[in-house]
């Protein structure tokens, strides 16, 4: 399971204990995709912390770029939590250091691999059309 960097302190977070909804706004295409999160199905994927926005995106079939494998060692998974930030785990100093290297950081910016919502409210997350990893291999 990805999401764990042995060189940094593990962030504190509370996994959700009730269903909630996360809506992804994909800036590049204008697409909006809503996903019903079922806490009993977490983790959905293999990258990022269990229950992180990155993990939930994988469950929703949305690919968020991540050069480091979701272990808080880059900023390519930078997203903006437009609604529901109060339900998210607090950013660690390590996450904030990585965000300092991202473009267009705003107060609602987070690394999707480290941001874990507790399920107390629904979320709206914007996925910017750019990231630090400007070169992508074809699929």
């Amino acid at each position: 399971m990805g999401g764990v960097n042995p060189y940094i302190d593990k962030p504190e977070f509370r996994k959700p204990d009730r269903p909630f909804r996360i809506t992804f706004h994909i800036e590049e295409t204008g697409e909006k995709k809503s996903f019903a999160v079922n806490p009993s199905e977490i983790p959905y994927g293999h990258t990022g912390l269990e229950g992180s926005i990155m993990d939930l995106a994988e469950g929703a079939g949305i690919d968020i770029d991540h050069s480091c494998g979701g272990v808080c060692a880059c900023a390519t998974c930078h997203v903006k939590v437009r609604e529901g930030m109060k339900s998210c785990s607090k950013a660690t100093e390590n996450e904030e250091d990585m965000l300092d290297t991202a473009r267009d950081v705003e107060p609602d910016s987070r690394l999707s691999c480290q941001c874990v919502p507790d399920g107390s409210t629904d979320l709206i997350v914007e996925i910017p059309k750019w990231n630090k990893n400007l070169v992508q291999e074809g699929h």
Side-chain angles (χ1 to χ4, degrees), residues 24 26 28 47 54 57-66 112 127-128 131 136 139:
F24 295 95
I26 304 165
E28 184 172 21
T47 53
M54 180 180 284
E58 192 164 332
I62 295 172
D63 183 36
I64 297 179
D65 286 337
H66 53 281
S112 65
I127 302 171
N131 65 38
Q136 294 181 358
H139 296 292

Side-chain angles (χ1 to χ4, degrees), residues 26-41:
I26 304 165
E27 188 181 49
E28 184 172 21
T29 63
E31 177 187 4
K32 290 185 181 182
K33 185 169 186 178
S34 190
F35 180 67
V37 178
N38 180 344
S40 67
E41 294 180 9

Side-chain angles (χ1 to χ4, degrees), residues 27 76 78 80 102-105 127-132 134:
E27 188 181 49
T76 57
H78 169 221
K80 297 175 183 181
R103 293 175 29 190
D104 193 29
V105 173
I127 302 171
K129 62 181 169 184
W130 49 262
N131 65 38
K132 283 178 37 183
L134 299 177

